[in-house]
Amino acid sequence: AQSVTQLGSHVSVSEGALVLLRCNYSSSVPPYLFWYVQYPNQGLQLLLKYTSAATLVKGINGFEAEFKKSETSFHLTKPSAHMSDAAEYFCAVGVAGGYNKLIFGAGTRLAVHP
Amino acid sequence: KAGVTQTPRYLIKTRGQQVTLSCSPISGHRSVSWYQQTPGQGLQFLFEYFSETQRNKGNFPGRFSGRQFSNSRSEMNVSTLELGDSALYLCASSSEGQINTEAFFGQGTRLTVV
């Protein structure tokens, strides 16, 4: 069975600081991995996805993530945080053979302070 | 291009009642998935429809059902509502039936059961 673990339900950074949100996955087959962002009272927006083409994936709004098979990780980073990055971030794995079924982590709420 | 539209945005129902939520996918998208989001359980997959066929179902009781119409619009129904059904219900649409294509989420329907 596939699963996702996000370490840290809350992360707080200063504006301009590095953002690092951690995600570890469990999958018996090569996974499809995603990062989504959710702003208050909104749906989810795709930041980036890993589909085996390249291990370093660049997404929108300056975010990127690196797929590390040996560590079963897919951590999300951004070099310099903006106030507008404050939101909840979800890591998800696509279920093999499950068509469009996604299994989500519990989410990490990112706070950015001046 | 219009996004995914969910109606209504907010709903208050009484225990024991039933409710129907609607999702209109992006034009041309044939896959619609539904998710339940709660503070305690996070984001959980309900079911996915592709070209009017349910292809995948999550671990929810039979009170949760759905359907998809020939124009790809989808509805989900919850019968005999319980307090624990209070949640944000999100639908997502994608163009293809495969997990590596992007899923676009609607803003959700916030259901409150009293």
Side-chain angles (χ1 to χ4, degrees), chain A:
Chain A
Q2 289 157 298
S3 64
V4 173
T5 302
Q6 291 185 242
L7 299 175
S9 58
H10 290 82
V11 170
S12 182
V13 300
S14 299
E15 192 173 20
L18 171 72
V19 175
L20 171 60
L21 305 182
R22 300 177 187 275
C23 172
N24 287 88
Y25 69 91
S26 171
S27 177
S28 58
V29 297
Y32 291 110
L33 295 164
F34 306 81
W35 274 101
Y36 282 88
V37 61
Q38 185 177 36
Y39 297 100
N41 296 317
Q42 299 294 317
L44 302 175
Q45 180 183 13
L46 181 68
L47 283 175
L48 49 81
K49 63 181 180 182
Y50 168 75
T51 57
S52 78
T55 56
L56 183 62
V57 182
K58 294 187 183 299
I60 62 171
N61 302 337
F63 285 95
E64 63 181 38
E66 186 172 9
F67 172 72
K68 291 187 176 180
K69 184 178 179 180
S70 61
E71 300 176 8
T72 61
S73 69
F74 190 57
H75 302 331
L76 182 71
T77 61
K78 182 174 181 177
S80 176
H82 295 159
M83 298 295 289
S84 60
D85 293 328
E88 190 152 22
Y89 292 79
F90 293 92
C91 182
V93 63
V95 176
Y99 302 107
N100 286 319
K101 178 179 180 178
L102 294 171
I103 295 175
F104 286 89
T108 297
R109 187 169 297 278
L110 175 67
V112 182
H113 52 87

Side-chain angles (χ1 to χ4, degrees), chain B residues 3 5 27 30 39 61 66 69 72 88 93 96 103 109 111:
Chain B
T5 303
S27 178
R30 293 189 293 165
F69 302 96
S72 293
L88 180 67
S93 78
E96 303 294 331
T109 293
L111 172 64

